[in-house]
Amino acid sequence: MAAARGRPRGGLERDVLACLAAADRPLSPTEVLAELGGDLAYTTVMTTLSRLHGKGVLTRESAGRGFVYELPVPLREVPASVSANRMRRILDSGDDRAGILARFVSDLSPDDEEVLLRLLSQDPPTRER
Amino acid sequence: MLLLLAAVPLVASACLGLLAPWAGNRLPPGSAVKVLATAAFVTALATGFCLSIVAFNALARIPLIATLGKWSAAAAGLDGTPPPVGGVVLGLAVIGLLLAALRRSARTATDLTHAVLACRRLQELSDGLVLIHDPVPDAFALPGVRGKIVVTTGMLQALTAPERRALIAHEQAHLAHHHQIYIQAAELAAAANPLLYRMPKHVRALAERWADEQAAHDVGDRIVTARALAKAALARTTKPARQPAVALPATDHQMANRVLALTRPRPRPHPRLVSALLGLALISAVSSIWMAHTTETKFEHAQQAYAQTARNSH
C-alpha cells in the first residue's frame, strides 16, 4: 500500500471540506475518517471538524451522542460564486489569452478517451513498487 | 567576427527550440520547466541584444550618423559590419520584436491583475479552497497573492477521497511552485524571439506534468493520481450538461500522455542534459557581452580616427 505521508499544513482541512462537499448529506467524524482513510487518527478528524465549525465554515447538528457536519446550503447568486463562474466562462471561451488559469484536465480526443477508459478498467491497477 | 558572434544566440535559440520536446520527455518535469523557461528567456534577451548591436554597427556607417557621432565611417565599417541597408532592415526587425514583447508583457500584466483581483473577491471555505455548487466537473488554480483552488461539487463527486487529495495537491503545486512565472517567461521569450515560438506550449505541458508528479509525491501513490486524472478528464468530456464551448480540438494527446507518464516510474534527474541546455543560454549571454565589448573598442578606434583626420585637415 502507499506510504502514509505527512499532509502539508492546512491540507487536512481542505481534504475534509472536499469530502463533505462530495457527500450529499451530513457526515459524522467516523464517516469522514472512513472516507479519508488509513493514516489519520479519529481525534485529528474530530478536531479539524470542530475547528472548521468554529470558523463558521461548517454547520453541525447533534445526532446520537455526537455531531454530524455539513457545508451550509449555498445561497444563490453569492458574489463569490458569480466571479468563480466568470473565471470558468473565461476558460471555456478561450479569453484567458495570457493563460493565467490552469485547469486540472484538458479536453480529450476520442482516441484518448479510449486509452483512459482502458486504463481505468484495469482493476485492480498494476502497481509498480 | 561581428556576424559570427551575433549568430551564436540565434543558433542557440534554434537548438533550444528543437531540443525542448526531446529534453521535456527525459528530464523530471520540474527541472525541465525551470531550465527551459530560464534558457529561453536568456537566449531571447541575448538574441535581441546582439541584433540591436549589429543594427547599430551597420547604421553607424552612414556618413551623416558618423559625423554626428564624431567617428570615422570607414573605421566603423571594419570587422565585417553589414552595409547600412542591412542595419535598417535589422533595426526594423528589432523594433518589431521589442513591440511584440511589450505587447505580450502588457497582456500578461492585465490578465494577471484581473486574476489577482478575482482571487481576492472569491470567498474561500478554508486554506484557499473555493467551492462552486455545480454538477459540471471542473477544477482550476487561480494565481494571486496567495492563490486559490476553485473546484466544483461535480468534480469532487466524480472522485474518491484519495483521488480528491491528488486533485487538490495538483492545483496546490501550480500555486506553490509559481508555475505562472515560468510560463509567462516562456511566453515573453517566444514573443521576442520567433525561433522559440513553440516553447510556451512545451513549458505549459511540462508544468502540468510537474504538478502531476508533485501530487503523486504528496499523495504517495502514482496510480491513484493517474486514476484521478483519467476520471476527471472523462467526467468532463462525457458530461452532457456541459456547454459546447469553443472546444479546442485536443489533438496533442496531452491527457493520455499525462496519465501514462504516471503509470511509469518517475523520470530520473539528468544533470548532463540540464548543463547542456543551460550551456546554450550561457554561450548566448557570453557572446552578447563579447559583442558589446568588441563594438565598444571598435568605436573608440573609429572616434580616434575621426579626431585624427579632423586635426590633419586643419
Side-chain angles (χ1 to χ4, degrees), chain A residues 54-119:
Chain A
K55 282 203 265 180
V57 179
L58 295 178
T59 58
R60 74 176 179 191
E61 50 192 289
S62 51
R65 278 188 297 167
F67 291 103
V68 286
Y69 295 82
E70 74 177 325
L71 285 161
V73 180
L75 300 168
R76 287 246 162 263
E77 302 300 314
V78 177
S81 78
V82 172
S83 50
N85 273 312
R86 192 176 302 138
M87 289 285 131
R88 291 170 73 199
R89 276 201 300 280
I90 287 174
L91 263 169
D92 276 334
S93 61
D95 277 350
D96 177 27
R97 292 177 310 163
I100 299 294
L101 303 171
R103 191 169 239 158
F104 182 49
V105 286
S106 47
D107 291 332
L108 287 179
S109 64
D111 26 328
D112 280 2
E113 210 171 318
E114 232 166 84
V115 171
L116 296 188
L117 281 171
R118 199 151 9 100
L119 275 171

Side-chain angles (χ1 to χ4, degrees), chain B residues 232-249:
Chain B
L234 288 169
R236 249 182 74 75
T237 5
T238 50
K239 198 80 189 173
R242 195 179 154 216
Q243 296 282 324
V246 193
L248 302 164

Side-chain angles (χ1 to χ4, degrees), chain B residues 56-174:
Chain B
F56 171 74
N57 272 284
L59 291 173
R61 297 177 68 177
I62 299 172
L64 180 67
I65 295 178
T67 320
L68 284 173
K70 291 191 175 22
W71 59 66
S72 144
L78 295 175
D79 199 21
T81 306
V85 63
V88 173
V89 172
L90 264 182
L92 288 176
V94 167
I95 290 170
L97 293 176
L98 195 65
L99 285 178
L102 282 175
R103 226 181 60 184
R104 177 72 228 181
S105 312
R107 180 193 289 177
T108 304
T110 336
D111 282 13
L112 257 181
T113 314
H114 283 160
V116 169
L117 290 178
C119 207
R120 213 180 289 167
R121 270 201 309 274
L122 290 188
Q123 203 186 341
E124 59 177 44
L125 285 174
S126 173
D127 279 303
L129 186 69
V130 176
L131 188 68
I132 302 179
H133 291 265
D134 187 334
V136 180
D138 205 354
F140 57 90
L142 181 60
V145 181
R146 276 185 61 229
K148 298 254 163 78
I149 297 167
V150 182
V151 54
T152 64
T153 44
M155 178 62 90
L156 295 174
Q157 278 159 0
L159 305 175
T160 64
E163 291 160 0
R164 288 196 293 264
R165 211 178 140 195
L167 153 74
I168 296 172
H170 171 103
E171 298 303 345
Q172 180 61 33
H174 279 315

Side-chain angles (χ1 to χ4, degrees), chain A residues 13 35 103 109 112 127-128, chain B residues 126 138 164 221 250 253 263:
Chain A
E13 285 193 4
E35 263 284 291
R103 191 169 239 158
S109 64
D112 280 2
R127 279 164 198 273
E128 303 153 86
Chain B
S126 173
D138 205 354
R164 288 196 293 264
D221 193 329
H253 306 296
T263 64

Side-chain angles (χ1 to χ4, degrees), chain B residues 7-20 23 35-36 38-40 42-44 46-47 196 199 272-288:
Chain B
V8 171
L10 284 173
V11 173
S13 31
C15 288
L16 198 61
L18 289 174
L19 282 175
V35 168
L36 288 176
T38 312
V42 173
T43 46
T47 306
L196 297 167
M199 196 54 92
R272 248 185 267 169
L273 185 50
V274 169
S275 321
L277 293 170
L278 288 179
L280 288 173
L282 190 69
I283 57 166
S284 307
V286 167
S287 94
S288 62

